[in-house]
Short mmCIF file of all heavy atoms in Angstrom, two decimals:
data_model
loop_
_atom_site.label_atom_id
_atom_site.label_comp_id
_atom_site.label_asym_id
_atom_site.label_seq_id
_atom_site.Cartn_x
_atom_site.Cartn_y
_atom_site.Cartn_z
N LEU A 1 7.77 4.50 -12.08
CA LEU A 1 7.05 3.23 -11.58
C LEU A 1 5.67 3.53 -11.13
O LEU A 1 5.42 4.50 -10.40
CB LEU A 1 7.95 2.67 -10.44
CG LEU A 1 9.35 2.13 -10.76
CD1 LEU A 1 10.08 1.86 -9.41
CD2 LEU A 1 9.30 0.93 -11.63
N ASN A 2 4.81 2.63 -11.50
CA ASN A 2 3.39 2.75 -10.96
C ASN A 2 3.18 1.61 -9.93
O ASN A 2 3.39 0.47 -10.24
CB ASN A 2 2.36 2.49 -12.17
CG ASN A 2 2.48 3.65 -13.18
OD1 ASN A 2 2.46 4.84 -12.73
ND2 ASN A 2 2.61 3.35 -14.45
N ILE A 3 2.63 2.08 -8.80
CA ILE A 3 2.32 1.12 -7.71
C ILE A 3 0.91 0.45 -8.13
O ILE A 3 -0.03 1.18 -8.24
CB ILE A 3 2.25 1.83 -6.33
CG1 ILE A 3 3.61 2.37 -6.04
CG2 ILE A 3 1.86 0.71 -5.29
CD1 ILE A 3 3.54 3.16 -4.78
N ILE A 4 0.88 -0.83 -8.21
CA ILE A 4 -0.37 -1.47 -8.59
C ILE A 4 -1.00 -2.21 -7.41
O ILE A 4 -2.24 -2.50 -7.44
CB ILE A 4 -0.19 -2.40 -9.78
CG1 ILE A 4 0.84 -3.56 -9.48
CG2 ILE A 4 0.14 -1.62 -11.04
CD1 ILE A 4 0.98 -4.53 -10.60
N ALA A 5 -0.21 -2.36 -6.33
CA ALA A 5 -0.74 -3.05 -5.15
C ALA A 5 0.29 -2.91 -3.99
O ALA A 5 1.45 -2.77 -4.30
CB ALA A 5 -1.12 -4.48 -5.37
N ILE A 6 -0.24 -2.94 -2.76
CA ILE A 6 0.60 -2.97 -1.62
C ILE A 6 0.20 -4.13 -0.70
O ILE A 6 -1.02 -4.26 -0.41
CB ILE A 6 0.51 -1.63 -0.80
CG1 ILE A 6 1.10 -0.53 -1.65
CG2 ILE A 6 1.39 -1.73 0.42
CD1 ILE A 6 0.97 0.86 -1.03
N GLU A 7 1.12 -4.89 -0.28
CA GLU A 7 0.82 -6.04 0.64
C GLU A 7 1.51 -5.76 1.97
O GLU A 7 2.59 -5.37 2.01
CB GLU A 7 1.31 -7.37 0.02
CG GLU A 7 1.09 -8.60 0.89
CD GLU A 7 1.71 -9.85 0.26
OE1 GLU A 7 2.18 -9.78 -0.91
OE2 GLU A 7 1.81 -10.78 0.98
N ASN A 8 0.76 -6.15 3.08
CA ASN A 8 1.34 -6.08 4.36
C ASN A 8 0.65 -7.16 5.28
O ASN A 8 -0.54 -7.08 5.47
CB ASN A 8 1.11 -4.65 5.04
CG ASN A 8 1.91 -4.49 6.30
OD1 ASN A 8 1.80 -5.10 7.33
ND2 ASN A 8 2.83 -3.51 6.17
N ARG A 9 1.50 -8.11 5.76
CA ARG A 9 1.11 -9.25 6.66
C ARG A 9 -0.08 -9.88 5.98
O ARG A 9 -1.05 -10.32 6.64
CB ARG A 9 0.70 -8.67 7.96
CG ARG A 9 1.87 -7.99 8.79
CD ARG A 9 1.49 -7.49 10.14
NE ARG A 9 2.54 -6.89 10.75
CZ ARG A 9 2.55 -6.38 12.00
NH1 ARG A 9 1.32 -6.35 12.64
NH2 ARG A 9 3.59 -5.80 12.55
N GLY A 10 0.00 -10.19 4.70
CA GLY A 10 -1.06 -10.95 4.07
C GLY A 10 -2.20 -10.26 3.52
O GLY A 10 -3.01 -10.76 2.69
N ASP A 11 -2.35 -9.01 3.91
CA ASP A 11 -3.46 -8.16 3.37
C ASP A 11 -2.96 -7.39 2.13
O ASP A 11 -1.91 -6.83 2.14
CB ASP A 11 -3.91 -7.11 4.46
CG ASP A 11 -4.52 -7.80 5.60
OD1 ASP A 11 -5.24 -8.84 5.49
OD2 ASP A 11 -4.38 -7.33 6.76
N VAL A 12 -3.73 -7.49 1.06
CA VAL A 12 -3.42 -6.83 -0.21
C VAL A 12 -4.30 -5.65 -0.42
O VAL A 12 -5.61 -5.83 -0.50
CB VAL A 12 -3.34 -7.77 -1.36
CG1 VAL A 12 -2.92 -7.13 -2.64
CG2 VAL A 12 -2.37 -8.91 -1.07
N MET A 13 -3.78 -4.47 -0.73
CA MET A 13 -4.58 -3.41 -1.03
C MET A 13 -4.24 -2.98 -2.61
O MET A 13 -3.10 -2.73 -2.97
CB MET A 13 -4.26 -2.14 -0.15
CG MET A 13 -4.92 -0.91 -0.53
SD MET A 13 -4.59 0.38 0.71
CE MET A 13 -2.89 0.51 0.62
N ASP A 14 -5.27 -3.00 -3.47
CA ASP A 14 -5.03 -2.80 -4.82
C ASP A 14 -5.55 -1.40 -5.34
O ASP A 14 -5.56 -1.06 -6.50
CB ASP A 14 -5.66 -3.91 -5.69
CG ASP A 14 -7.14 -4.03 -5.56
OD1 ASP A 14 -7.74 -3.21 -4.88
OD2 ASP A 14 -7.68 -5.11 -6.04
N SER A 15 -6.14 -0.61 -4.40
CA SER A 15 -6.56 0.79 -4.74
C SER A 15 -5.71 1.66 -3.79
O SER A 15 -5.99 1.82 -2.63
CB SER A 15 -8.08 0.91 -4.45
OG SER A 15 -8.47 2.25 -4.74
N ILE A 16 -4.73 2.35 -4.47
CA ILE A 16 -3.74 3.07 -3.65
C ILE A 16 -3.97 4.56 -3.67
O ILE A 16 -4.07 5.14 -4.68
CB ILE A 16 -2.34 2.84 -4.23
CG1 ILE A 16 -2.12 1.34 -4.49
CG2 ILE A 16 -1.27 3.34 -3.30
CD1 ILE A 16 -2.16 0.48 -3.32
N ARG A 17 -4.32 5.05 -2.43
CA ARG A 17 -4.59 6.47 -2.33
C ARG A 17 -3.32 7.27 -2.22
O ARG A 17 -2.34 6.82 -1.63
CB ARG A 17 -5.41 6.69 -1.11
CG ARG A 17 -6.85 6.14 -1.20
CD ARG A 17 -7.60 6.18 0.22
NE ARG A 17 -7.57 7.66 0.65
CZ ARG A 17 -8.53 8.48 0.46
NH1 ARG A 17 -9.55 8.13 -0.46
NH2 ARG A 17 -8.51 9.75 0.81
N PRO A 18 -3.33 8.56 -2.74
CA PRO A 18 -2.12 9.38 -2.63
C PRO A 18 -1.70 9.65 -1.18
O PRO A 18 -0.49 9.91 -0.91
CB PRO A 18 -2.56 10.67 -3.25
CG PRO A 18 -3.68 10.21 -4.16
CD PRO A 18 -4.37 9.18 -3.48
N ASP A 19 -2.66 9.59 -0.19
CA ASP A 19 -2.30 9.96 1.11
C ASP A 19 -1.95 8.65 2.02
O ASP A 19 -1.81 8.77 3.21
CB ASP A 19 -3.48 10.63 1.85
CG ASP A 19 -4.77 9.82 1.84
OD1 ASP A 19 -4.81 8.77 1.27
OD2 ASP A 19 -5.81 10.37 2.47
N TYR A 20 -1.86 7.57 1.28
CA TYR A 20 -1.38 6.32 2.07
C TYR A 20 -0.02 6.47 2.65
O TYR A 20 0.91 6.92 1.89
CB TYR A 20 -1.47 5.06 1.13
CG TYR A 20 -0.99 3.86 1.79
CD1 TYR A 20 -1.74 3.02 2.62
CD2 TYR A 20 0.44 3.44 1.66
CE1 TYR A 20 -1.23 1.89 3.25
CE2 TYR A 20 0.91 2.33 2.22
CZ TYR A 20 0.10 1.58 3.01
OH TYR A 20 0.55 0.37 3.69
N ILE A 21 0.13 6.12 3.86
CA ILE A 21 1.44 6.22 4.51
C ILE A 21 2.12 4.87 4.55
O ILE A 21 1.63 3.86 5.02
CB ILE A 21 1.28 6.78 6.00
CG1 ILE A 21 0.58 8.10 6.02
CG2 ILE A 21 2.69 6.88 6.64
CD1 ILE A 21 1.21 9.25 5.35
N PHE A 22 3.25 4.94 4.00
CA PHE A 22 4.01 3.58 3.88
C PHE A 22 4.33 3.11 5.24
O PHE A 22 4.86 3.89 6.13
CB PHE A 22 5.30 3.69 3.04
CG PHE A 22 4.99 3.92 1.53
CD1 PHE A 22 5.28 5.13 1.01
CD2 PHE A 22 4.45 3.00 0.79
CE1 PHE A 22 5.02 5.44 -0.38
CE2 PHE A 22 4.14 3.19 -0.54
CZ PHE A 22 4.48 4.34 -1.09
N ARG A 23 4.17 1.79 5.54
CA ARG A 23 4.54 1.14 6.79
C ARG A 23 5.64 0.11 6.68
O ARG A 23 5.88 -0.35 5.58
CB ARG A 23 3.30 0.40 7.29
CG ARG A 23 2.09 1.32 7.48
CD ARG A 23 0.82 0.42 7.93
NE ARG A 23 0.40 -0.41 6.80
CZ ARG A 23 -0.46 -1.40 6.88
NH1 ARG A 23 -0.94 -1.76 8.11
NH2 ARG A 23 -0.81 -2.06 5.78
N ARG A 24 6.26 -0.11 7.79
CA ARG A 24 7.44 -1.09 7.88
C ARG A 24 6.79 -2.47 7.54
O ARG A 24 5.72 -2.75 8.08
CB ARG A 24 8.10 -1.08 9.19
CG ARG A 24 9.33 -1.96 9.24
CD ARG A 24 10.15 -1.68 10.51
NE ARG A 24 10.92 -0.45 10.32
CZ ARG A 24 10.70 0.73 11.00
NH1 ARG A 24 9.56 0.86 11.57
NH2 ARG A 24 11.51 1.74 10.79
#
């Protein structure tokens, strides 16, 4: 699977860094 975006509380990040830490 390829992550194309991450959303959290309405904020969307479409450039995903390898060191991004997943949040609840």
Side-chain angles (χ1 to χ4, degrees):
L1 295 169
N2 293 312
I3 302 174
I4 58 178
I6 298 175
E7 177 184 350
N8 192 298
R9 297 180 181 179
D11 294 327
V12 178
M13 178 173 55
D14 58 9
S15 180
I16 314 302
R17 293 172 53 89
D19 59 356
Y20 175 82
I21 303 298
F22 292 112
R23 299 174 291 166
R24 187 167 282 102

